[in-house]
Coordinates of all heavy atoms in Angstrom, one line a residue:
M61 N -61.4 -135.0 72.8 CA -61.9 -133.8 72.2 C -62.9 -133.1 73.1 O -63.8 -133.7 73.7 CB -62.5 -134.0 70.9 CG -61.6 -134.2 69.7 SD -62.6 -134.6 68.2 CE -62.2 -133.1 67.3
S62 N -62.7 -131.8 73.2 CA -63.7 -131.0 74.0 C -64.9 -130.7 73.1 O -64.9 -130.9 71.9 CB -63.1 -129.7 74.4 OG -62.8 -128.8 73.3
Y63 N -66.0 -130.3 73.7 CA -67.2 -129.9 72.9 C -66.8 -128.8 71.9 O -67.3 -128.7 70.8 CB -68.3 -129.5 73.8 CG -69.0 -130.6 74.5 CD1 -68.9 -130.7 75.9 CD2 -69.6 -131.6 73.8 CE1 -69.5 -131.8 76.6 CE2 -70.2 -132.7 74.5 CZ -70.1 -132.8 75.9 OH -70.7 -133.8 76.5
K64 N -66.0 -127.9 72.4 CA -65.6 -126.8 71.5 C -64.8 -127.3 70.3 O -65.0 -126.8 69.1 CB -64.7 -125.8 72.3 CG -64.3 -124.6 71.5 CD -63.4 -123.6 72.4 CE -63.0 -122.4 71.6 NZ -62.2 -121.5 72.4
D65 N -64.0 -128.3 70.5 CA -63.3 -128.9 69.4 C -64.2 -129.6 68.4 O -64.1 -129.6 67.2 CB -62.2 -129.9 69.9 CG -61.1 -129.3 70.6 OD1 -60.8 -128.1 70.4 OD2 -60.4 -130.0 71.4
V66 N -65.2 -130.3 69.0 CA -66.2 -131.0 68.1 C -67.0 -130.0 67.3 O -67.2 -130.2 66.1 CB -67.1 -131.9 69.0 CG1 -68.3 -132.4 68.2 CG2 -66.3 -133.0 69.7
D67 N -67.4 -128.9 67.9 CA -68.1 -127.9 67.2 C -67.2 -127.3 66.1 O -67.7 -127.1 65.0 CB -68.5 -126.7 68.1 CG -69.6 -127.2 69.1 OD1 -70.3 -128.2 68.8 OD2 -69.8 -126.5 70.1
A68 N -66.0 -127.0 66.3 CA -65.1 -126.5 65.3 C -64.9 -127.5 64.2 O -65.0 -127.1 63.0 CB -63.7 -126.2 65.9
Y69 N -64.8 -128.8 64.5 CA -64.7 -129.8 63.5 C -66.0 -129.8 62.6 O -65.9 -129.9 61.4 CB -64.4 -131.2 64.1 CG -64.4 -132.3 63.1 CD1 -63.3 -132.5 62.3 CD2 -65.5 -133.1 62.9 CE1 -63.3 -133.6 61.4 CE2 -65.6 -134.1 62.0 CZ -64.4 -134.3 61.2 OH -64.4 -135.3 60.3
S70 N -67.1 -129.9 63.3 CA -68.4 -129.9 62.6 C -68.6 -128.7 61.7 O -69.1 -128.9 60.6 CB -69.5 -130.0 63.6 OG -69.5 -131.2 64.3
D71 N -68.2 -127.5 62.2 CA -68.4 -126.3 61.3 C -67.5 -126.4 60.1 O -67.9 -126.0 59.0 CB -68.0 -125.1 62.2 CG -69.1 -124.8 63.2 OD1 -70.2 -125.3 63.1 OD2 -68.7 -124.0 64.2
S72 N -66.2 -126.9 60.3 CA -65.4 -126.9 59.1 C -65.8 -128.0 58.1 O -65.8 -127.9 56.9 CB -63.9 -127.2 59.5 OG -63.8 -128.5 60.1
W73 N -66.4 -129.1 58.7 CA -67.0 -130.1 57.8 C -68.1 -129.6 57.0 O -68.2 -129.8 55.8 CB -67.4 -131.3 58.6 CG -68.0 -132.4 57.8 CD1 -69.4 -132.7 57.7 CD2 -67.4 -133.4 57.0 NE1 -69.6 -133.7 56.8 CE2 -68.3 -134.2 56.4 CE3 -66.0 -133.6 56.7 CZ2 -68.0 -135.2 55.5 CZ3 -65.7 -134.7 55.9 CH2 -66.7 -135.5 55.3
D74 N -69.0 -128.9 57.7 CA -70.2 -128.3 57.0 C -69.8 -127.4 55.9 O -70.3 -127.4 54.8 CB -71.1 -127.6 58.0 CG -71.8 -128.5 59.0 OD1 -71.8 -129.7 58.7 OD2 -72.2 -128.0 60.0
R75 N -68.8 -126.5 56.1 CA -68.3 -125.6 55.1 C -67.7 -126.4 53.9 O -67.9 -126.0 52.8 CB -67.2 -124.6 55.7 CG -67.9 -123.5 56.5 CD -66.9 -122.4 56.9 NE -65.6 -122.9 57.5 CZ -65.4 -123.2 58.8 NH1 -66.4 -123.0 59.6 NH2 -64.3 -123.6 59.2
S76 N -66.9 -127.4 54.2 CA -66.4 -128.2 53.1 C -67.4 -128.9 52.3 O -67.3 -129.0 51.0 CB -65.4 -129.2 53.6 OG -66.0 -130.3 54.3
Q77 N -68.5 -129.3 52.9 CA -69.6 -129.9 52.2 C -70.3 -128.9 51.3 O -70.7 -129.2 50.2 CB -70.6 -130.6 53.1 CG -70.1 -131.7 53.9 CD -69.6 -132.8 53.0 OE1 -70.3 -133.3 52.2 NE2 -68.3 -133.2 53.1
E78 N -70.4 -127.7 51.7 CA -71.0 -126.6 50.9 C -70.1 -126.4 49.7 O -70.7 -126.2 48.6 CB -71.2 -125.4 51.7 CG -72.3 -125.5 52.8 CD -72.3 -124.3 53.8 OE1 -71.5 -123.3 53.6 OE2 -73.0 -124.3 54.7
K79 N -68.8 -126.3 49.9 CA -67.9 -126.1 48.8 C -68.0 -127.3 47.8 O -67.9 -127.0 46.5 CB -66.5 -126.0 49.3 CG -66.3 -124.7 50.0 CD -64.8 -124.6 50.5 CE -64.6 -123.3 51.3 NZ -63.2 -123.2 51.8
L80 N -68.1 -128.5 48.2 CA -68.2 -129.6 47.3 C -69.4 -129.6 46.4 O -69.4 -130.0 45.3 CB -68.2 -130.9 48.1 CG -66.9 -131.4 48.7 CD1 -67.1 -132.6 49.6 CD2 -66.0 -131.8 47.5
Q81 N -70.5 -129.0 46.9 CA -71.7 -128.9 46.1 C -71.5 -127.9 45.0 O -72.4 -128.0 44.0 CB -72.9 -128.5 47.0 CG -73.3 -129.6 47.9 CD -74.6 -129.3 48.7 OE1 -75.4 -128.5 48.2 NE2 -74.8 -130.0 49.8
L82 N -70.5 -127.1 45.0 CA -70.3 -126.2 43.9 C -69.6 -126.9 42.7 O -69.6 -126.3 41.6 CB -69.4 -125.0 44.3 CG -69.9 -124.2 45.5 CD1 -68.9 -123.2 45.9 CD2 -71.2 -123.5 45.0
I83 N -69.2 -128.1 42.8 CA -68.5 -128.8 41.8 C -69.4 -129.2 40.6 O -69.0 -129.2 39.5 CB -67.8 -130.1 42.3 CG1 -66.9 -129.8 43.5 CG2 -66.9 -130.7 41.2 CD1 -66.4 -131.1 44.1
G84 N -70.6 -129.6 41.0 CA -71.5 -130.1 40.0 C -73.0 -129.8 40.3 O -73.3 -129.4 41.5
K85 N -73.9 -130.1 39.4 CA -75.3 -129.9 39.6 C -76.0 -131.0 40.3 O -77.1 -130.9 40.8 CB -75.9 -129.5 38.3 CG -75.4 -128.2 37.8 CD -76.0 -127.9 36.4 CE -75.4 -126.6 35.9 NZ -75.8 -126.3 34.6
N86 N -75.4 -132.2 40.2 CA -76.1 -133.4 40.7 C -75.5 -133.9 42.0 O -75.5 -135.1 42.3 CB -76.2 -134.5 39.7 CG -74.8 -135.0 39.3 OD1 -73.8 -134.3 39.7 ND2 -74.7 -136.1 38.7
I87 N -75.1 -133.0 42.9 CA -74.4 -133.4 44.1 C -75.4 -133.0 45.3 O -75.9 -131.9 45.4 CB -73.1 -132.7 44.3 CG1 -72.1 -133.1 43.2 CG2 -72.5 -132.9 45.7 CD1 -70.8 -132.3 43.2
D88 N -75.6 -134.0 46.1 CA -76.5 -133.8 47.3 C -75.7 -134.1 48.5 O -74.9 -135.1 48.6 CB -77.7 -134.8 47.3 CG -78.7 -134.4 46.2 OD1 -78.8 -133.3 45.9 OD2 -79.3 -135.4 45.7
S89 N -75.9 -133.3 49.5 CA -75.3 -133.6 50.8 C -76.3 -134.3 51.7 O -77.4 -133.8 51.9 CB -74.8 -132.3 51.5 OG -74.3 -132.5 52.7
I90 N -75.9 -135.4 52.3 CA -76.8 -136.2 53.1 C -76.2 -136.0 54.6 O -75.1 -136.4 54.8 CB -76.8 -137.7 52.7 CG1 -77.2 -137.8 51.3 CG2 -77.8 -138.4 53.6 CD1 -78.5 -137.2 50.9
E91 N -77.1 -135.5 55.5 CA -76.6 -135.4 56.8 C -77.2 -136.4 57.7 O -78.4 -136.6 57.7 CB -77.0 -134.0 57.4 CG -76.5 -133.7 58.7 CD -76.7 -132.3 59.1 OE1 -76.9 -131.4 58.3 OE2 -76.8 -132.0 60.4
M92 N -76.4 -137.1 58.5 CA -76.8 -138.1 59.4 C -76.4 -137.6 60.8 O -75.3 -137.6 61.2 CB -76.1 -139.5 59.1 CG -76.4 -140.0 57.7 SD -75.6 -141.6 57.4 CE -73.9 -141.2 57.7
R93 N -77.4 -137.2 61.5 CA -77.1 -136.7 62.9 C -76.8 -137.9 63.8 O -77.5 -138.9 63.8 CB -78.3 -136.0 63.5 CG -78.6 -134.7 62.8 CD -78.4 -133.6 63.8 NE -78.6 -132.3 63.2 CZ -77.7 -131.3 63.2 NH1 -76.6 -131.6 63.8 NH2 -77.9 -130.2 62.6
Y94 N -75.7 -137.7 64.6 CA -75.3 -138.7 65.6 C -75.0 -140.1 65.0 O -75.2 -141.1 65.7 CB -76.4 -138.8 66.7 CG -76.9 -137.5 67.2 CD1 -78.1 -137.0 67.0 CD2 -76.0 -136.6 67.9 CE1 -78.6 -135.8 67.4 CE2 -76.4 -135.4 68.3 CZ -77.7 -135.0 68.1 OH -78.1 -133.7 68.5
A95 N -74.6 -140.2 63.8 CA -74.2 -141.4 63.2 C -72.8 -141.8 63.5 O -71.9 -140.9 63.6 CB -74.4 -141.4 61.7
S96 N -72.6 -143.1 63.6 CA -71.2 -143.5 63.9 C -70.5 -143.7 62.5 O -71.1 -143.6 61.5 CB -71.2 -144.9 64.6 OG -71.6 -145.9 63.8
H97 N -69.2 -144.0 62.6 CA -68.5 -144.2 61.3 C -68.9 -145.6 60.7 O -68.5 -145.9 59.6 CB -66.9 -144.2 61.6 CG -66.4 -142.8 61.9 ND1 -66.2 -142.0 60.8 CD2 -66.2 -142.2 63.0 CE1 -65.8 -140.8 61.3 NE2 -65.8 -140.9 62.6
L98 N -69.5 -146.4 61.5 CA -70.0 -147.7 61.0 C -71.5 -147.6 60.7 O -72.2 -148.6 60.9 CB -69.8 -148.8 62.1 CG -68.3 -148.9 62.5 CD1 -68.2 -149.9 63.7 CD2 -67.5 -149.4 61.4
Y99 N -71.9 -146.5 60.0 CA -73.3 -146.3 59.8 C -73.9 -147.4 58.9 O -75.1 -147.7 59.0 CB -73.6 -144.9 59.2 CG -73.0 -144.7 57.8 CD1 -73.7 -145.1 56.7 CD2 -71.7 -144.2 57.7 CE1 -73.1 -144.9 55.4 CE2 -71.2 -144.0 56.4 CZ -71.9 -144.4 55.3 OH -71.3 -144.2 54.1
D100 N -73.1 -148.0 58.0 CA -73.6 -149.0 57.2 C -74.0 -150.3 58.0 O -74.9 -151.1 57.5 CB -72.6 -149.4 56.1 CG -71.3 -149.8 56.6 OD1 -70.9 -149.3 57.7 OD2 -70.6 -150.6 56.0
E101 N -73.4 -150.4 59.2 CA -73.8 -151.5 60.0 C -74.9 -151.1 61.0 O -75.7 -151.9 61.4 CB -72.6 -152.1 60.8 CG -71.6 -152.7 59.9 CD -70.3 -153.2 60.6 OE1 -70.4 -153.2 61.9 OE2 -69.3 -153.5 60.0
T102 N -74.8 -149.9 61.5 CA -75.7 -149.4 62.6 C -77.0 -148.8 62.1 O -78.0 -148.9 62.7 CB -75.0 -148.5 63.5 OG1 -74.5 -147.3 62.8 CG2 -73.8 -149.1 64.3
D103 N -76.9 -148.2 60.9 CA -78.0 -147.5 60.3 C -78.1 -147.9 58.8 O -78.0 -147.0 57.9 CB -78.0 -146.0 60.5 CG -78.0 -145.6 61.9 OD1 -79.0 -146.0 62.6 OD2 -77.2 -144.8 62.3
P104 N -78.3 -149.1 58.4 CA -78.2 -149.5 57.0 C -79.3 -148.9 56.2 O -79.1 -148.7 55.0 CB -78.4 -151.1 57.1 CG -79.1 -151.3 58.4 CD -78.6 -150.3 59.3
W105 N -80.4 -148.4 56.8 CA -81.4 -147.7 56.0 C -80.9 -146.5 55.3 O -81.4 -146.2 54.2 CB -82.6 -147.3 56.9 CG -82.2 -146.4 58.0 CD1 -81.7 -146.7 59.3 CD2 -82.1 -145.0 57.9 NE1 -81.4 -145.6 60.0 CE2 -81.6 -144.5 59.2 CE3 -82.4 -144.1 56.9 CZ2 -81.5 -143.1 59.4 CZ3 -82.3 -142.7 57.2 CH2 -81.8 -142.3 58.4
V106 N -79.9 -145.9 55.8 CA -79.3 -144.7 55.1 C -78.7 -145.1 53.8 O -78.9 -144.5 52.7 CB -78.3 -144.0 56.0 CG1 -77.6 -142.9 55.2 CG2 -78.9 -143.5 57.3
V107 N -78.0 -146.2 53.8 CA -77.3 -146.7 52.6 C -78.4 -147.2 51.6 O -78.3 -146.9 50.4 CB -76.3 -147.8 52.9 CG1 -75.7 -148.4 51.7 CG2 -75.3 -147.3 53.9
I108 N -79.3 -147.9 52.1 CA -80.4 -148.5 51.3 C -81.2 -147.4 50.6 O -81.5 -147.5 49.4 CB -81.3 -149.4 52.1 CG1 -80.5 -150.7 52.5 CG2 -82.6 -149.8 51.3 CD1 -81.2 -151.5 53.6
E109 N -81.6 -146.4 51.3 CA -82.3 -145.3 50.7 C -81.5 -144.6 49.6 O -82.1 -144.3 48.6 CB -82.7 -144.2 51.8 CG -83.8 -144.6 52.7 CD -84.2 -143.6 53.7 OE1 -83.4 -142.6 53.8 OE2 -85.2 -143.8 54.4
Q110 N -80.2 -144.4 49.8 CA -79.4 -143.7 48.8 C -79.2 -144.6 47.6 O -79.2 -144.1 46.4 CB -78.1 -143.3 49.4 CG -78.2 -142.1 50.4 CD -79.1 -141.0 49.9 OE1 -78.8 -140.4 48.8 NE2 -80.1 -140.6 50.6
L111 N -79.1 -145.9 47.8 CA -78.9 -146.8 46.7 C -80.2 -146.8 45.8 O -80.2 -146.8 44.6 CB -78.6 -148.2 47.1 CG -77.1 -148.4 47.6 CD1 -77.0 -149.8 48.3 CD2 -76.2 -148.2 46.5
E112 N -81.4 -146.9 46.5 CA -82.6 -146.9 45.9 C -82.8 -145.6 45.1 O -83.3 -145.6 43.9 CB -83.8 -147.0 46.9 CG -83.9 -148.4 47.4 CD -84.9 -148.6 48.5 OE1 -85.3 -147.5 49.1 OE2 -85.3 -149.7 48.8
R113 N -82.4 -144.5 45.6 CA -82.5 -143.2 45.0 C -81.6 -143.2 43.7 O -82.1 -142.7 42.6 CB -82.0 -142.1 45.9 CG -82.2 -140.7 45.4 CD -81.8 -139.7 46.4 NE -81.4 -138.5 45.7 CZ -80.1 -138.2 45.3 NH1 -79.2 -139.1 45.6 NH2 -79.8 -137.1 44.7
M114 N -80.4 -143.7 43.8 CA -79.5 -143.7 42.6 C -80.1 -144.6 41.5 O -80.0 -144.3 40.3 CB -78.1 -144.1 43.0 CG -77.4 -143.1 43.8 SD -75.7 -143.4 44.1 CE -75.6 -145.0 44.7
V115 N -80.6 -145.8 41.9 CA -81.2 -146.7 40.9 C -82.4 -146.1 40.3 O -82.6 -146.2 39.1 CB -81.6 -148.0 41.6 CG1 -82.5 -148.9 40.7 CG2 -80.3 -148.8 42.0
G116 N -83.2 -145.3 41.0 CA -84.3 -144.6 40.5 C -84.0 -143.6 39.5 O -84.7 -143.3 38.5
L117 N -82.8 -143.0 39.6 CA -82.3 -142.0 38.6 C -82.0 -142.7 37.3 O -82.0 -142.0 36.2 CB -81.1 -141.3 39.1 CG -81.3 -140.4 40.3 CD1 -80.0 -139.8 40.8 CD2 -82.3 -139.2 40.0
L118 N -81.7 -144.0 37.3 CA -81.4 -144.7 36.0 C -82.7 -145.0 35.2 O -82.6 -145.2 34.0 CB -80.7 -146.0 36.4 CG -79.3 -145.8 37.0 CD1 -78.7 -147.2 37.4 CD2 -78.3 -145.1 36.1
D119 N -83.8 -145.1 35.9 CA -85.0 -145.4 35.2 C -85.5 -144.3 34.2 O -85.3 -143.2 34.3 CB -86.2 -145.7 36.2 CG -85.8 -147.0 37.0 OD1 -85.1 -147.8 36.5 OD2 -86.4 -147.2 38.1

């Protein structure tokens, strides 16, 4: 993929995330810059923070 292709993909992804937020009131978009598809293995803190946030909503 060229940089132009990556930019086009990223732009379309961003637009789709904005549209998804229109579905409900409790939807958050979490952006991970430069994360791999294996973020749960390479950046587990992202998963842990979101799990802690969801558990906190139950209290």
Side-chain angles (χ1 to χ4, degrees):
M61 280 178 112
S62 67
Y63 287 116
K64 185 177 177 180
D65 292 336
V66 171
D67 290 340
Y69 174 82
S70 295
D71 290 342
S72 66
W73 178 260
D74 291 342
R75 284 192 307 276
S76 69
Q77 294 303 302
E78 291 170 6
K79 289 179 183 178
L80 281 173
Q81 289 189 20
L82 299 175
I83 308 174
K85 295 177 182 174
N86 63 344
I87 297 174
D88 292 327
S89 178
I90 307 301
E91 185 172 334
M92 300 180 302
R93 292 241 178 240
Y94 313 112
S96 73
H97 288 281
L98 301 174
Y99 66 88
D100 56 332
E101 293 178 13
T102 59
D103 297 308
W105 60 270
V106 174
V107 177
I108 293 168
E109 283 180 355
Q110 292 309 307
L111 288 172
E112 289 174 339
R113 185 176 153 272
M114 289 188 313
V115 168
L117 292 174
L118 297 174
D119 293 337

